Amino acid sequence: MLRRIVHFFLIAVIFLPVAVLLILSFSEHWIFPDVLPENFHRQTWLRLFSTESELRQSLGLSIVVSLCVAFFSTLMGCILSRAVSTSRYKKYYISLAYLPYILSPVVLGVLWHYFAVVIGLNASFIGVVSAQFLICFPFGFIILSSFWTRHISNYEELSITLGSSEWFRFKKVIFPLAKPVLGLCFFQCFLISWFDYGLTQLIGGGQVKTLTLSVFNFINEANIFLAALASLLLVIPPMTLLFFNKKIILKRTLIH
Amino acid sequence: MRKANSLTKFLRLIYVLLIVVPTFAGFTYALLHSLGLTGLLTDGLTLKYWSEALRDFYMWKSIGFSFLIAVISVFLSFCIALFLVLKLTDDFQKKWFHRLLFLPLCFPATVMAFYVMQTFSKSGFLSRLSFQFGWIDHIESFPELTNDAYGIGIMLTSVLLVFPFFTLFLKNIFDAERLQDYGLIAQSLGAKPRHAFWKISLALLWQKSKSTVVLYIIFVMGSYEVPLLLGRQNPQMITPRIVDKAQRFNLHDIPQAYVMALIYLFLVLLLISLMSTRFVQFFKKKTHA
């Protein structure tokens, strides 16, 4: 009996957020004390597909920002974790990568804001991508550090012995082996960037309107229906990833 | 070979620069600004902003409030996770149950806070349901669960965000350490279930997860979006307070924001060093001596 109650409670707790957001995204009026909104229609969703839709622009911008951040974080994470993997002080290098997370990205954003203004990167796309990169890259580094094991260096040594060039070694040995972990790192960094609000708001100064900023804007405008739609759009990519690979979601949560 | 070595060293230097330089540059600028040595209001070395901030009751209240919210949220999440792992151990074998627990991990803090706002606020779903059932006769009769003085909304959101992760995390430890087998052995040797729980399951799970618990306390303390949506001006969590001060039009508030950021960073580093193994071992040795 207890088991069934817990199951029911757990299902309710986990599915209610999705249900509430779905209901709100298909409504327009919700006056107290009605439990459910008056009319259900597709009006809010249809707005997403109109050419002048602010939400669509935010969605597009969020995708581009997150893809850039994920690409550069994975690239730099891969190159630098390789360089650090042979160091005696590898443990200390990895500990250093936790610094931006422990010190809170938003607090760091406050401290970086002055430099963003001086360099002329505030309120710009590049400024937001750079700030998010400084947070995501250490995370990518942590993930990719676990790839460079003794096993991988044995493969490298073997290919050197057999006379392969550096490029051939990367293309035919390292890259195929690293593909899963590179994919994992890319998606993790994509999600961190996708979910970010504080840094984007601080460095972007509200000018770089990503999807998370749109959620806040709609809430401030008391437009809970569009806020619900924007929230659902935020949840779709991680849910798609969950469908394909549970590990991606779990590792992100472990660090972030 | 030498070329390869110098390239590796150069890349390591780049790594250190990318991690350390932005953090310490921000740190140094905040320190100089808070001491009146830079910024638009610079008028020479002064401890004015530090003494003002250190005497600011509301700053300490914000730090204490953030810490309390974080500790309570993480404690509740840990308890829920422990209950699920120990009471529903067999259910984790079922694919649907395992997948179910992954679902909340897809929710960003912003979205979860928005959901809590729409469900638990005075005009939310629960309030409307209570009205229909006749439990309340007016919107104002519904208790304040969001933007409240005790941070209930913030804690609720944090628990909803953290407990699924803790459940999966503790379950991994439970399996890796074969705690079910240990429990059965202890009971077959005469231990009561209560003893097996306190002396084996809880002790081992806590031992293996305490550093993650501390990290999560720090993460919740530094959360920004959730208190921004579900918090209030007084008491306010420390991160929105720092951002508020830093973004005000009054230029005298900016050095204070930097002081608060530095104090917060110092306290977080202190908390980490207090919890580090070396520190704990040091005290263990002292106690044994």
Side-chain angles (χ1 to χ4, degrees):
Chain A
M1 187 61 185
L2 173 76
R3 186 173 293 241
R4 284 200 173 172
I5 294 170
V6 175
H7 280 178
F8 174 75
F9 192 71
L10 209 58
I11 290 169
V13 163
I14 290 171
F15 279 106
L16 257 176
V18 184
V20 169
L21 294 177
L22 266 175
I23 289 171
L24 288 178
S25 73
F26 279 103
S27 6
E28 207 170 50
H29 295 290
W30 193 32
I31 302 157
F32 192 88
D34 296 343
V35 175
L36 290 173
E38 271 175 33
N39 303 314
F40 286 97
H41 52 75
R42 297 171 298 166
Q43 200 65 37
T44 321
W45 279 90
L46 286 176
R47 272 198 218 174
L48 180 65
F49 301 104
S50 75
T51 45
E52 288 171 13
S53 163
E54 195 187 312
L55 202 55
R56 209 168 83 162
Q57 287 169 7
S58 295
L59 179 65
L61 186 65
S62 281
I63 291 172
V64 175
V65 168
S66 302
L67 283 177
C68 287
V69 172
F71 174 75
F72 288 116
S73 303
T74 308
L75 182 71
M76 291 304 283
C78 181
I79 294 169
L80 298 181
S81 64
R82 172 76 183 90
V84 163
S85 65
T86 48
S87 168
R88 272 189 302 169
Y89 307 106
K90 186 182 169 186
K91 207 172 80 180
Y92 297 104
Y93 280 110
I94 295 174
S95 306
L96 216 56
Y98 284 91
L99 207 62
Y101 296 96
I102 290 166
L103 301 182
S104 173
V106 180
V107 175
L108 285 178
V110 172
L111 302 185
W112 292 341
H113 186 253
Y114 166 77
F115 296 100
V117 174
V118 169
I119 305 168
L121 288 180
N122 68 314
S124 72
F125 172 82
I126 297 175
V128 170
V129 171
S130 309
Q132 288 192 2
F133 166 77
L134 289 176
I135 297 295
C136 291
F137 146 72
F139 184 72
F141 175 86
I142 293 168
I143 295 175
L144 290 164
S145 294
S146 62
F147 171 72
W148 303 106
T149 54
R150 186 76 221 152
H151 175 70
I152 299 295
S153 73
N154 285 346
Y155 272 117
E156 276 190 284
E157 280 163 20
L158 183 66
S159 61
I160 293 168
T161 315
L162 294 171
S164 72
S165 68
E166 205 162 332
W167 170 243
F168 188 86
R169 196 163 69 239
F170 172 76
K171 197 177 149 192
K172 296 287 180 186
V173 182
I174 303 298
F175 186 68
L177 286 169
K179 239 197 273 184
V181 75
L182 284 173
L184 179 78
C185 175
F186 184 88
F187 285 118
Q188 298 284 356
C189 295
F190 180 88
L191 287 180
I192 294 174
S193 165
W194 185 255
F195 286 168
D196 178 69
Y197 170 75
L199 261 184
T200 312
Q201 166 68 13
L202 280 165
I203 305 295
Q207 300 299 309
V208 184
K209 286 181 186 160
T210 54
L211 216 47
T212 41
L213 257 76
S214 290
V215 174
F216 268 85
N217 286 346
F218 290 133
I219 294 169
N220 289 335
E221 290 168 10
N223 193 342
I224 55 167
F225 311 108
L226 271 175
L229 175 58
S231 300
L232 278 174
L233 291 176
L234 269 174
V235 171
I236 289 170
M239 280 198 178
T240 316
L241 290 180
L242 173 68
F243 183 76
F244 289 111
N245 194 347
K246 289 184 294 185
K247 277 182 193 166
I248 289 173
I249 308 289
L250 187 64
K251 278 213 170 182
R252 180 188 60 80
T253 321
L254 183 68
I255 305 255
H256 200 58
Chain B
M1 192 63 159
R2 181 178 283 179
K3 197 181 159 189
N5 268 343
S6 45
L7 179 68
T8 306
K9 279 182 185 165
F10 175 70
L11 289 173
R12 284 177 196 164
L13 181 70
I14 297 269
Y15 169 76
V16 175
L17 289 178
L18 276 173
I19 302 264
V20 177
V21 169
T23 309
F24 281 89
F27 217 71
T28 313
Y29 178 74
L31 189 66
L32 292 176
H33 203 132
S34 66
L35 292 171
L37 294 171
T38 186
L40 288 172
L41 297 174
T42 178
D43 47 2
L45 182 67
T46 174
L47 289 174
K48 187 174 71 180
Y49 302 115
W50 276 88
S51 69
E52 271 174 22
L54 289 170
R55 279 188 279 119
D56 182 8
F57 168 73
Y58 292 104
M59 183 197 73
W60 294 111
K61 194 176 176 183
S62 287
I63 290 174
F65 183 64
S66 306
F67 183 69
L68 214 62
I69 292 267
V71 169
I72 294 172
S73 306
V74 171
F75 174 74
L76 289 176
S77 305
F78 190 85
C79 291
I80 295 170
L82 198 64
F83 173 80
L84 291 175
V85 169
L86 297 180
K87 287 286 174 193
L88 305 180
T89 313
D90 301 335
D91 289 335
F92 284 87
Q93 307 299 329
K94 296 169 190 161
K95 208 175 173 183
W96 71 266
F97 188 81
H98 208 232
R99 280 205 172 240
L100 185 75
L101 285 164
F102 273 90
L103 202 64
L105 302 181
C106 300
F107 278 78
T110 312
V111 176
M112 197 58 100
F114 175 63
Y115 155 72
V116 168
M117 191 189 231
Q118 294 310 317
T119 310
F120 297 93
S121 68
K122 277 183 183 286
S123 60
F125 268 109
L126 275 186
S127 170
R128 288 158 195 261
L129 273 177
S130 308
F131 186 87
Q132 297 297 338
F133 285 121
W135 296 332
I136 58 168
D137 51 4
H138 196 263
I139 189 168
E140 286 302 321
S141 317
F142 192 75
E144 252 183 358
L145 298 176
T146 59
N147 306 102
D148 60 303
Y150 303 102
I152 296 171
I154 303 171
M155 284 191 275
L156 189 63
T157 312
S158 305
V159 169
L160 286 173
L161 286 167
V162 175
F163 97 85
F165 165 72
F166 270 169
T167 309
L168 295 165
F169 182 62
L170 291 186
K171 179 69 178 112
N172 276 348
I173 300 174
F174 188 85
D175 290 342
E177 298 295 319
R178 300 173 66 191
L179 285 182
Q180 199 163 19
D181 297 345
Y182 279 125
L184 287 173
I185 291 169
Q187 285 184 41
S188 64
L189 290 172
K192 288 177 182 163
R194 190 162 51 94
H195 284 126
F197 167 73
W198 285 106
K199 301 280 180 189
I200 299 169
S201 306
L202 186 63
L204 266 167
L205 286 172
W206 172 246
Q207 187 64 31
K208 295 279 171 186
S209 64
K210 64 183 175 193
S211 52
T212 308
V213 169
V214 173
L215 275 181
Y216 260 80
I217 289 176
I218 292 167
F219 294 154
V220 177
M221 256 182 94
S223 65
Y224 178 60
E225 294 94 331
V226 179
L228 198 64
L229 273 178
L230 300 170
R232 52 155 70 181
Q233 287 294 316
N234 181 30
Q236 191 177 27
M237 278 183 79
I238 188 69
T239 320
R241 190 173 178 81
I242 292 170
V243 177
D244 266 6
K245 284 254 180 197
Q247 290 187 325
R248 277 194 194 157
F249 290 109
N250 185 354
L251 292 177
H252 285 283
D253 277 337
I254 298 174
Q256 286 206 17
Y258 286 133
V259 174
M260 282 199 285
L262 290 173
I263 292 172
Y264 169 74
L265 297 183
F266 171 74
L267 289 175
V268 165
L269 291 175
L270 189 72
L271 186 64
I272 291 167
S273 46
L274 278 175
M275 290 305 294
S276 72
T277 328
R278 210 175 284 174
F279 191 87
V280 174
Q281 277 173 353
F282 170 79
F283 271 94
K284 269 185 186 166
K285 275 178 197 165
K286 285 270 173 193
T287 321
H288 290 310

